[in-house]
């Protein structure tokens, strides 16, 4: 018969990290009601390539204790979203009244990013997610990249009958440096970057590790990172099985989440003794 301690060890070995995915507020059923959600590709990538258990966190204004929530998760995944971070969070100029916004996600994520950084919880930001990470730690954003001199139009194609394959196709190279170059084993990779906004002033605590040909910041990592605190502007969740570098990033995010789980379990075990 298995001992209680042996059973406990087996349970720990079989556990998978819990990854919190920030949900966006979405109009569904032709705008008749709203729901909190994210893309299937994001969930699939966390399950398949990070080997973690995902759960969605609805964005809510003033509803969460960010520090307490961060203490209970093994990773934070920040996916893209249609709404942009509201500019008052980074002292930016006002945007048009019809600009899609998601105040609940802004409040939830910006506070949670700070708490996760403080507690060394792994973070992987994608598209809007890299922008949230930068704003949370004091950086700012350009409202419309394509309106800046010398910048390309990084927005998705909007013509009639556009297919997902066309939307998420590889578009341009990014130049890698630092840990990203080491992970990729290369100084350039092709990415499927789609965005209207982009990083303007980089937060002091981040290092730039990927840049597009027109000088847009496409990848960042926390300086003196104790875990995996990485943001990318491209859609790494889109079929990483066909994009080696994006797959590697998800795998490393998963490894960091497992290390976080082991550390949490060790603390819990020491308290229980």
């Amino acid at each position: 018969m298995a001992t209680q301690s042996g059973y406990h060890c087996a349970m720990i070995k079989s556990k998978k990290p819990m990854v919190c995915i920030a949900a966006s507020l979405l109009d569904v059923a032709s705008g008749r009601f709203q729901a909190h959600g994210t893309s299937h590709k994001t969930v699939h990538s966390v399950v398949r390539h990070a080997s973690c258990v995902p759960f969605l966190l609805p964005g809510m204004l003033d509803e969460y204790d960010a520090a307490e929530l961060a203490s209970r998760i093994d990773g934070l995944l920040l996916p893209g979203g249609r709404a942009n971070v509201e500019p008052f969070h980074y002292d930016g100029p006002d945007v048009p009244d019809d600009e899609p916004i998601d105040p609940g996600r802004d409040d939830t994520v910006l506070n949670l990013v700070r708490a996760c950084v403080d507690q060394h919880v792994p973070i992987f930001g994608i598209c809007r997610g890299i922008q949230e990470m930068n704003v949370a730690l004091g950086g700012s954003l350009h409202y419309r990249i394509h309106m800046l001199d010398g910048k390309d139009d990084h927005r998705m194609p909007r013509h009639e009958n556009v297919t997902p394959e066309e939307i998420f196709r590889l578009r341009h190279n990014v130049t890698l440096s630092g840990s990203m170059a080491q992970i990729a084993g290369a100084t350039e990779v092709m990415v499927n970057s789609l965005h209207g906004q982009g990083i303007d002033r980089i937060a002091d605590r981040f290092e730039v590790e990927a840049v597009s040909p027109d000088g847009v910041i496409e990848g960042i990592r926390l300086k003196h990172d104790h875990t995996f605190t990485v943001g990318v502007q491209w859609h790494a969740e889109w079929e990483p099985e066909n994009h080696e570098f994006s797959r590697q990033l998800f795998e490393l995010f998963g490894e960091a989440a497992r290390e976080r789980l082991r550390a949490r379990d060790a603390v819990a075990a020491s308290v229980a003794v």
Side-chain angles (χ1 to χ4, degrees):
M1 181 179 295
T3 64
Q4 184 175 1
S5 61
Y7 175 75
H8 179 68
C9 289
M11 286 292 291
I12 289 177
K13 289 179 181 178
S14 65
K15 286 171 64 176
K16 287 189 175 182
M18 298 292 293
V19 166
C20 173
I21 300 177
S24 293
L25 189 61
L26 308 171
D27 291 325
V28 297
S30 300
R32 290 194 295 274
F33 64 92
Q34 293 182 307
H36 296 278
T38 194
S39 74
H40 167 70
K41 294 287 189 183
T42 298
V43 173
H44 181 266
S45 293
V46 169
V47 171
R48 179 172 179 182
H49 300 290
S51 193
C52 296
V53 176
F55 70 92
L56 298 189
L57 181 68
M60 305 289 288
L61 278 168
D62 302 319
E63 286 294 328
Y64 302 115
D65 181 330
E68 192 271 339
L69 180 56
S71 73
R72 298 169 62 185
I73 63 176
D74 303 308
L76 176 62
L77 193 288
L78 306 175
R82 183 166 179 265
N84 289 319
V85 178
E86 290 193 75
F88 75 84
H89 290 292
Y90 52 90
D91 295 326
D94 291 339
V95 297
D97 292 339
D98 60 352
E99 179 70 29
I101 58 173
D102 191 341
R105 175 163 169 171
D106 286 356
D107 184 74
T108 297
V109 169
L110 297 181
N111 286 311
L112 189 53
V113 165
R114 297 180 193 113
C116 286
V117 169
D118 289 344
Q119 298 183 36
H120 308 309
V121 178
I123 305 174
F124 190 12
I126 295 172
C127 194
R128 173 187 160 114
I130 187 179
Q131 298 167 15
E132 290 170 321
M133 292 171 68
N134 188 54
V135 171
L137 296 193
S140 66
L141 306 177
H142 288 298
Y143 169 60
R144 286 289 181 260
I145 291 291
H146 71 281
M147 298 174 67
L148 301 174
D149 289 342
K151 303 300 183 187
D152 298 328
D153 191 342
H154 292 252
R155 297 175 299 173
M156 65 179 283
R158 298 178 182 272
H159 62 79
E160 190 175 355
N161 300 322
V162 63
T163 65
E165 289 72 23
E166 183 179 356
I167 291 172
F168 292 103
R169 69 177 177 82
L170 299 177
R171 298 187 173 276
H172 60 71
N173 281 315
V174 291
T175 300
L176 305 177
S177 59
S179 67
M180 287 194 182
Q182 293 174 359
I183 294 165
T187 56
E188 283 193 347
V189 294
M190 196 81 158
V191 298
N192 58 348
S193 193
L194 294 166
H195 57 107
Q197 288 198 146
I199 291 177
D200 178 9
R201 185 184 70 257
I202 188 73
D204 290 341
R205 296 182 68 183
F206 285 119
E207 199 80 62
V208 176
E209 294 199 345
V211 181
S212 68
D214 58 342
V216 174
I217 295 172
E218 296 261 346
I220 60 175
R221 184 160 193 169
L222 190 70
K223 295 177 181 176
H224 315 297
D225 196 5
H226 295 283
T227 178
F228 181 94
T229 313
V230 172
V232 298
Q233 187 60 72
W234 65 89
H235 283 272
E237 85 287 356
W238 180 263
E239 299 181 351
E241 59 271 22
N242 297 323
H243 191 274
E244 183 178 4
F245 185 44
S246 293
R247 176 180 54 76
Q248 290 173 314
L249 293 175
F250 268 103
E251 290 173 349
L252 289 170
F253 175 61
E255 290 177 13
R258 281 183 285 280
E259 181 60 33
R260 164 77 175 175
L261 174 60
R262 287 190 290 269
R264 288 201 305 119
D265 280 341
V267 171
S270 67
V271 171
V273 172

